Amino acid sequence: MTTDPLLLMGEVDAATSRLLRTAASFDAADLAAASLLPGWTRGHVLAHLARNADGFVNLLTSARTGEALPMYASLAARTTDIETGAGRPPAEHLDDLRRTADLFAEAVAAMPAQGWAATVQARKGPWPAALLVWGRLREIEVHHLDLAADYRPADWSETFAHRLLREVASHHAMGPTPPSLVLRLDGGEREVVIGERVGAPIVAGPVPDLAAWLIGRADGDPLSVTPDGPLPTPPEWI
C-alpha cells in the first residue's frame, strides 16, 4: 500500500463509505447492542470514530500551522466525549460521522507539501504527519470490525491487510517480550517472522485473517498451526 497520504485518501473515502452504510443500517436497539470491544456498545464505537476524526484534524492542523495542538484535550475529555455520545439517536450518529469525515478530508486537502514532513503529538507520543492518513484508515477499518455487523477481515483490501499485518508484526517484534511466530501468508511460501524462527510455531492462512488474529479481532478459526495444537495467543495490540 502506498505511503503517500494523498493517494491513500482514496482508500479512506472508500472505507468511510462502507462504514457509513453500516451505520445507516442501525436503529436504536442496534446501537445499544454490544460491540466486540469489552464494555463498549456499537454507539461507543461510532462515537469514538467521530471523535477520532476530530483528533486527526487537530494533528493535521498542528502539522500545517506549526502550532503544538494535541490530538485530544486530555484522555479524560476523550473518554467523556465517547461516553456522552454513545447513546445518541441513530440520525445524530450518522450526521456526526459524515460531518467529521468531511472535516478530515478538508484538513488533508489543506495540507501544504512541507506539512507532511512535520512530527505531531499523537495520543501515544510523537508521530510523523505523513502517517496520519494511514492512521485514520486503520482506525476506520479495524473499528468497522468491532461493530459486529457482518463486516469481515475478508472485506479489507489486500493492500490494507498486508500493511496492517506487517505493521503489527513489527510492533510485536519490538515489544518487551516478543513472541516467536512464523506467519505463512496465504498458505504459500511468503513468510513474516516475529522473534526467533527456530522452534517457532507456523501459523498459516489468508492475510486478512492473520492480521485480524494478530490484533485480537478474530479467533483465528480459518488459520492452521504447525505443529498441531492450539493457536498461540498474540501479545495485546493497542
Side-chain angles (χ1 to χ4, degrees), residues 12 40 42 53 59 71-72 90 102 131 147 183 191 213 236:
V12 171
W40 272 18
R42 288 180 174 134
L59 296 181
M71 187 170 186
Y72 300 105
D102 288 344
L131 292 180
L147 290 172
L183 307 176
E191 294 179 343
W213 167 73
E236 185 177 2

Side-chain angles (χ1 to χ4, degrees), residues 25-66:
S25 72
F26 292 153
D27 59 20
D30 294 326
L31 288 171
S35 73
L36 297 184
L37 294 176
W40 272 18
T41 65
R42 288 180 174 134
H44 284 88
V45 174
L46 294 184
H48 164 65
L49 281 166
R51 302 289 71 76
N52 173 264
D54 286 338
F56 273 111
V57 169
N58 288 338
L59 296 181
L60 288 163
T61 302
S62 179
R64 177 173 56 82
T65 65

Side-chain angles (χ1 to χ4, degrees), residues 22 25-26 42 144-152:
T22 296
S25 72
F26 292 153
R42 288 180 174 134
H144 199 164
L145 292 186
D146 291 331
L147 290 172
D150 205 29
Y151 192 70
R152 301 286 183 259

Side-chain angles (χ1 to χ4, degrees), residues 159-174:
T159 51
F160 174 82
H162 273 274
R163 179 164 180 174
L164 179 64
L165 175 70
R166 294 181 184 279
E167 180 180 85
V168 178
S170 296
H171 170 81
H172 289 335
M174 293 186 294

Side-chain angles (χ1 to χ4, degrees), residues 41-176:
T41 65
R42 288 180 174 134
H44 284 88
V45 174
L46 294 184
H48 164 65
L49 281 166
R51 302 289 71 76
N52 173 264
D54 286 338
F56 273 111
V57 169
N58 288 338
L59 296 181
L60 288 163
T61 302
S62 179
R64 177 173 56 82
T65 65
E67 183 181 355
L69 292 173
M71 187 170 186
Y72 300 105
S74 67
L75 290 180
R78 172 182 177 269
T79 299
T80 298
D81 286 344
I82 293 170
E83 289 293 338
T84 301
R88 294 174 297 176
E92 290 187 23
H93 273 292
L94 195 58
D95 287 346
D96 196 17
L97 287 169
R98 286 174 174 152
R99 178 185 62 81
T100 53
D102 288 344
L103 289 174
F104 177 80
E106 291 167 7
V108 170
M111 279 283 283
Q114 66 272 22
W116 296 114
T119 298
V120 294
Q121 191 65 30
R123 184 167 67 91
K124 296 180 182 177
W127 214 30
L131 292 180
L132 291 174
V133 176
W134 161 253
R136 177 59 181 170
L137 176 61
R138 187 180 60 195
E139 285 286 316
I140 295 169
E141 291 287 47
V142 171
H143 286 308
H144 199 164
L145 292 186
D146 291 331
L147 290 172
D150 205 29
Y151 192 70
R152 301 286 183 259
D155 295 316
W156 289 339
S157 72
E158 181 180 357
T159 51
F160 174 82
H162 273 274
R163 179 164 180 174
L164 179 64
L165 175 70
R166 294 181 184 279
E167 180 180 85
V168 178
S170 296
H171 170 81
H172 289 335
M174 293 186 294

